[in-house]
Amino acid sequence: MRAVSDFIIGTTAVRIVDTGRRIRVIDVEKQAEKKQFKKTVVATILAAALSFGTCLTVVNYQNSQTLLDKQVYSLKTEIDTLERENKILEKKTEEEQLSYNKIYKKALAMGMDFPTKGQVKEYKYKKGTAIHMYRVPG
């Protein structure tokens, strides 16, 4: 059985607790100060942990931002390079476009022949009918 008694000795409030096995004399004011100190320590530890977690999160976001900025810069550089290469290829394509006369002269120089009279076949067709083409053996 637990018995609790409160007394005032001089200017000090004292609580006497009898637990059955031993008797404890507790200074009420000091006990309240200890409780307040413990609460303060716990609150400080929680605030420090929260601040540390927030700092880690901010550093992580900044690191992610830096990595993304580097990737964006790399991609922009790649885009600029590809655009320059594309312009060069477009200029080459424009320069290499041949006219009909150039193609004709080049084909003749490479040995192009015209068909002989026996190789040309003529046929008649009616407007709106399908035309079938066959290979001519020869």
Side-chain angles (χ1 to χ4, degrees), residues 71-117:
Q71 287 177 346
V72 166
Y73 178 76
S74 172
L75 290 173
K76 282 183 178 179
T77 305
E78 187 176 345
I79 287 172
D80 290 341
T81 304
L82 289 172
E83 285 177 347
R84 269 188 262 115
E85 290 175 0
N86 191 32
K87 285 180 182 178
I88 291 169
L89 290 173
E90 283 177 353
K91 282 184 181 180
K92 281 185 180 179
T93 304
E94 289 173 5
E95 290 170 2
E96 291 176 358
Q97 285 181 346
L98 302 175
S99 66
Y100 173 76
N101 290 333
K102 287 181 181 178
I103 294 172
Y104 179 76
K105 287 178 184 176
K106 186 128 185 167
L108 285 177
M110 295 176 75
M112 180 183 84
D113 287 335
F114 289 97
T116 61
K117 194 119 181 136

Side-chain angles (χ1 to χ4, degrees), residues 14-132:
V14 176
R15 177 173 284 155
I16 299 175
V17 178
D18 183 7
T19 60
R21 292 186 180 177
R22 66 183 183 164
I23 297 174
R24 289 179 51 202
V25 178
I26 301 169
D27 186 348
V28 175
E29 189 175 320
K30 284 185 181 179
Q31 186 181 21
E33 286 176 4
K34 282 182 182 179
K35 281 184 180 180
Q36 184 62 34
F37 178 74
K38 287 179 182 178
K39 287 180 182 179
T40 304
V41 168
V42 168
T44 304
I45 290 172
L46 288 175
L50 183 64
S51 297
F52 184 71
T54 304
C55 288
L56 285 178
T57 303
V58 168
V59 168
N60 187 24
Y61 284 142
Q62 286 177 344
N63 187 28
S64 297
Q65 182 67 33
T66 303
L67 290 174
L68 290 174
D69 287 344
K70 286 180 181 179
Q71 287 177 346
V72 166
Y73 178 76
S74 172
L75 290 173
K76 282 183 178 179
T77 305
E78 187 176 345
I79 287 172
D80 290 341
T81 304
L82 289 172
E83 285 177 347
R84 269 188 262 115
E85 290 175 0
N86 191 32
K87 285 180 182 178
I88 291 169
L89 290 173
E90 283 177 353
K91 282 184 181 180
K92 281 185 180 179
T93 304
E94 289 173 5
E95 290 170 2
E96 291 176 358
Q97 285 181 346
L98 302 175
S99 66
Y100 173 76
N101 290 333
K102 287 181 181 178
I103 294 172
Y104 179 76
K105 287 178 184 176
K106 186 128 185 167
L108 285 177
M110 295 176 75
M112 180 183 84
D113 287 335
F114 289 97
T116 61
K117 194 119 181 136
Q119 292 175 323
V120 177
K121 302 287 183 185
E122 293 185 11
Y123 56 90
K124 293 181 181 179
Y125 68 94
K126 295 180 183 176
K127 193 172 186 179
T129 61
I131 299 173
H132 297 284

